[in-house]
Amino acid sequence: MSDTTTDPGRATAPAPDARAPAIELKGISKAFGPVQANKDIAIRVMPGTIHGIIGENGAGKSTLMSILYGFYKADKGEIFINGHKTEIPDSQAAIRAGIGMVFQHFKLVENFTVLENVVLGAEEGALLRPSLAKARKLLTQLAKEYELNVDPDALIEDIGVGMQQRVEILKALYRQADILILDEPTGVLTPAEADHLFRILDNLKAEGKTIILITHKLREIMDVTDTVSVMRRGEMTATVKTAETSPEELAELMVGRKVLLRVDKKPANPGEVVLEVMNLNVTDDAGVHRLKDVSLTVRAGEILGIAGVAGNGQSELLDVLGGIDHGTGTVELNGEAIDLSGKQSDGKSRRDRGIAHVPEDRQRRGLIMDFSAWENIAFGYHDDAMYQKNVWLMDNAALKAETEAKMGRFDVRPPDPKLSAKNFSGGNQQKIVLAREIERNPDLLLIGQPTRGVDIGAIEFIHQQIVALRDQGKAILLVSVELDEIMSLSDRIAVMFDGRIMGERLPSETDEKKLGLLMAGVTEGTGGV
Amino acid sequence: MDLLTILQILDSTLRLATPLLFACLAGLFSERSGIFDIGLEGKMLIAAFFSAAFAYTTGNVWLGMLAGIAGSVALAALHGVASVTFRGNQLISGVAINFLAAGFTVLIAQNWFGQGGRTPAVAGPARFEGLNWPGALEKSEDIRNASPLMQAYSELISGHTILTYVALITVPITWYVLFRTRFGLRLRAVGENPGAVDTAGINVTSLRYIAVGIAGLLCGLAGAYLATGLAAGFGKDMTAGRGFIALAALIFAKWRPWYALFACLLFGFLQSLSLRPDAVNNLVRFEVPGQLLDALPYILTVVILAGFVGKAIPPRAGGEPYVKER
């Protein structure tokens, strides 16, 4: 860390105006080919505040921040840091200007230690030892100051995502960042970890740091920010004081119309048991025990929500029930056993039994991205008699017509059956998968991360479809890492941790805090961690 | 088998391991930076040709070596342009370099010297001579009658060309550079996660070019040693798959410098066995077909490349061009 006062563009130089914004952008525009990702953006971020930026996927938030961090060069516009006009041609320049960035997907070297990751790119000299020793000292100091405890010698691949995120923040602080940009920081965190993160951000703010928080979660914006800017279709539509706005107003600014934030649903009317899982166990190829004695039931006309931090067995549960993976134990559908060994069953035989599956990773398992919408809408059911013209040929014309009708019913935009799956937005891709699975009228719908990467407007629609299916008397098993979604959709909630069901709760009798503890493996009575 | 035979086999092990070691360390630098390099073979070959041709023409082995390095670095630069700047497929670029070198060397050799694609033999100052260490015995008669320690000193330690010693010293240097310097940290990082390096404000492109350049330099030394140290002149396809053996050694060594030394010594040892069928036959007490001995290093190469020797995890970003993402 060289003498900071010699560094141009830093806060230590007397600013022309004592209250100059930490960041001021004027007229920033950026186009990728025909797509105008940012259009004439202007924003002022005051020092020592937490400034939220909210907007739908593709609204241009990430592009704007990438310009600020020197990843892209703006076509037009000016950047002022602490009142000084600053050029940011690359990340090095951004770091020099005191900007630190915590990316949504961490930029860490997995098999390096925490210390090595912190030092990388900010070494003192040609030899490593002195840099590492110095970083170790500074890390201890930062840990004390900001509750950022991390073992400096742990390998990144051995520590959890919450810790990894702390390493990213430490990296920025080690580079003496005064302005910290966090891109969707809570997507991978448990509620407790997210709370801890927000405490850290408050500490940083108290020390005079400026924080930009990019998120799509309205609740976080309301909880931690001082000011919030809303982006829509590449434009900055509004900047308001958080205290003077409401989630409803923000949602409307984001989408451009009124949005129903709470799911509108009547109480469930559960009927017969459709799915009965008893003592289900799954061991993966590496010999790791992924599901441990999982037992649950789903009745007709109800939604069972599975809450949990990603990677605690939810994916394996969906895979086994969907016929993709195999396991041991008993699973009955409408009172009849299902083969779990994988020898007499697969995804197709599950579908034949009336189990529809909307997989968690729709781009890898739900769709073939290079295939058109009408092809994707037949997948899995392509052997069905209704799609055959004769013994040899499929009835493509009828299929296309049917696809067009389904696209209309599920509001897929653009409603063009010949368009490749990859050319639809995340929300529209999900609607294609949903149209395929729901319209086959299944008894049981397995649905994983239904709204991951989906815009608010489409979330509303997808939630309505799920509830409508429930009201038709179908059983639904919902897996989601979004606690909001679980809380608002489920009729019952089961929490998974480390391959086990930690407990079942009714949404009316629990809250996010209690569920968060269960998600972290703490059952009531054993006390906190 | 007596001590002297063993020493002689170990001696040729060292000689034969030298080009492998250079090439293997070349691959190590390149692949640690995330650029797969199956063009080691081609780079060695072109270096062998240029060093023999220039050593013969100028009568100076050092000028020959520099020419060899220049040729090899030129091909490395081509690989860099294809796989770093234009984000091409690194395997295809490597294959192209191998073919290019195989055809180019013979064509130019025929054009320059008209000896059927070879260079004339190099000798004297146009060739690397063995360095005799102080007090080392030179005549084989003297060695045979010396004490075991003296035998080992004279036969095994002394008498190699300077490049063999350079190759051996390159191993600890590589280790030090990789694990104790800023450059090494960045090089390893860029092969694992170029995104992390880029966001830390380091230029991914130049880092990878430097790594590819070092690979060119080391392959140049390997080729120069082949043509003007081990042999006396360039011959068609004289690398004989050594680039691929070095690649196998690199995987066997799990991309680590010290392991690379031992892997290359193992391959050198197998190659040296085919030079001494008498000793092998003596040891196993039946006639081993010479062809089998010749094939041994290649058989081991196939076994290693097929993954029979445990799991080797390559650098995670290896083979993938770096594209900035949002």
Side-chain angles (χ1 to χ4, degrees), chain B residues 33-236:
Chain B
S33 83
I35 304 292
F36 282 157
D37 193 355
I38 60 168
L40 296 174
E41 177 88 359
K43 288 200 281 276
M44 269 163 87
L45 195 61
I46 208 153
F49 167 70
F50 274 117
S51 50
F54 277 77
Y56 173 77
T57 331
T58 63
N60 185 330
V61 68
W62 295 102
L63 289 179
M65 186 183 87
L66 288 181
I69 290 175
S72 169
V73 168
L75 281 192
L78 191 65
H79 188 50
V81 169
S83 50
V84 180
T85 303
F86 291 111
R87 303 184 189 124
N89 186 308
Q90 297 166 11
L91 297 185
I92 291 179
S93 165
V95 170
I97 280 169
N98 287 339
F99 279 120
L100 189 66
F104 178 85
T105 49
V106 178
L107 180 78
I108 302 297
Q110 178 62 22
N111 184 273
W112 285 359
F113 304 107
Q115 295 191 6
R118 339 173 107 262
T119 63
V122 291
R127 188 166 182 251
F128 284 107
E129 298 291 343
L131 295 180
N132 281 303
W133 287 34
L137 305 170
E138 290 185 44
K139 291 200 183 104
S140 49
E141 239 167 274
D142 295 342
I143 294 177
R144 195 169 303 131
N145 297 326
S147 67
L149 214 60
M150 196 60 194
Q151 282 185 343
Y153 179 70
S154 302
E155 185 68 48
L156 188 56
I157 310 281
S158 165
H160 296 287
T161 67
I162 178 118
L163 286 185
T164 299
Y165 300 114
V166 170
L168 291 173
I169 292 170
T170 308
V171 174
I173 292 177
T174 301
W175 175 83
Y176 187 83
V177 166
L178 220 50
F179 295 103
R180 286 289 181 269
T181 69
R182 171 176 62 190
F183 171 71
L185 183 78
R186 293 177 173 189
L187 186 82
R188 285 183 289 135
V190 82
E192 293 288 335
N193 185 352
V197 172
D198 195 7
T199 53
I202 308 165
N203 190 327
V204 172
T205 306
S206 63
L207 204 50
R208 286 189 160 169
Y209 265 108
I210 292 171
V212 169
I214 293 174
L217 170 75
L218 291 173
C219 278
L221 291 174
Y225 177 80
L226 267 184
T228 57
L230 199 59
F234 172 83
K236 179 178 187 293

Side-chain angles (χ1 to χ4, degrees), chain A residues 148-404:
Chain A
L148 278 163
N149 289 305
V150 189
D151 173 11
D153 297 311
L155 290 178
I156 295 298
E157 57 199 358
D158 293 340
I159 61 179
V161 280
M163 283 287 179
Q164 292 182 0
Q165 191 170 57
R166 282 184 214 175
V167 178
E168 284 283 21
I169 296 173
L170 283 168
K171 263 169 72 178
L173 295 178
Y174 186 75
R175 288 159 174 74
Q176 294 195 319
D178 292 321
I179 300 160
L180 202 61
I181 306 170
L182 294 104
D183 191 2
E184 299 284 358
T186 57
V188 291
L189 303 182
T190 64
E193 283 173 326
D195 283 345
H196 189 111
L197 172 69
F198 293 142
R199 270 210 308 284
I200 293 169
L201 294 187
D202 275 335
N203 286 341
L204 290 168
K205 184 174 106 172
E207 293 287 320
K209 310 263 183 203
T210 308
I211 291 157
I212 297 182
L213 180 69
I214 301 171
T215 181
H216 68 275
K217 294 182 183 170
L218 290 165
R219 195 168 47 84
E220 287 172 4
I221 288 285
M222 298 308 294
D223 283 354
V224 297
T225 63
D226 301 304
T227 318
V228 52
S229 297
V230 185
M231 288 188 76
R232 172 154 50 100
R233 292 194 195 142
E235 291 182 76
M236 198 64 88
T237 50
T239 296
V240 289
K241 290 238 175 318
T242 311
E244 295 164 7
T245 187
S246 66
E248 286 75 17
E249 189 194 353
L250 289 177
E252 195 180 333
L253 284 168
M254 275 166 72
V255 186
R257 62 178 169 84
K258 283 221 178 299
V259 182
L260 207 54
L261 286 180
R262 294 224 58 90
V263 180
D264 192 18
K265 64 170 189 173
K266 295 188 276 294
N269 188 12
E272 298 285 298
V273 171
V274 174
L275 177 73
E276 172 106 57
V277 177
M278 283 166 287
N279 300 324
L280 181 61
N281 282 281
V282 168
T283 307
D284 70 9
D285 295 337
V288 182
H289 208 163
R290 292 290 179 185
L291 285 187
K292 299 165 183 167
D293 286 328
V294 168
S295 298
L296 50 86
T297 57
V298 190
R299 291 172 178 278
E302 75 165 354
I303 300 174
L304 174 67
I306 309 270
V309 180
N312 277 292
Q314 305 98 309
S315 309
E316 286 78 4
L317 179 64
L318 284 180
D319 283 354
V320 171
L321 295 177
I324 298 166
D325 213 340
H326 52 87
T328 57
T330 317
V331 174
E332 287 178 358
L333 186 76
N334 295 324
E336 282 176 58
I338 280 181
D339 168 57
L340 294 178
S341 67
K343 287 178 190 123
Q344 288 122 48
S345 69
D346 51 21
K348 180 171 164 50
S349 62
R350 292 286 200 282
R351 284 189 287 273
D352 293 343
R353 295 279 297 269
I355 300 179
H357 186 183
V358 177
E360 290 182 299
D361 189 344
R362 79 183 73 99
Q363 304 203 339
R364 282 181 52 217
R365 283 186 163 172
L367 296 164
I368 299 179
M369 300 303 282
D370 286 324
F371 280 32
S372 60
W374 70 266
E375 288 166 314
N376 270 298
I377 232 153
F379 280 139
Y381 305 101
H382 48 273
D383 289 339
D384 196 294
M386 61 182 283
Y387 295 143
Q388 319 301 324
K389 194 178 217 164
N390 54 41
V391 189
W392 306 107
L393 296 174
M394 287 186 75
D395 192 352
N396 290 351
L399 189 48
K400 279 177 202 158
E402 194 201 298
T403 304
E404 207 158 354

Side-chain angles (χ1 to χ4, degrees), chain A residues 501-512:
Chain A
I501 302 278
M502 299 299 289
E504 266 188 37
R505 300 284 183 274
L506 293 174
S508 53
E509 291 169 8
T510 188
D511 57 36
E512 305 212 340

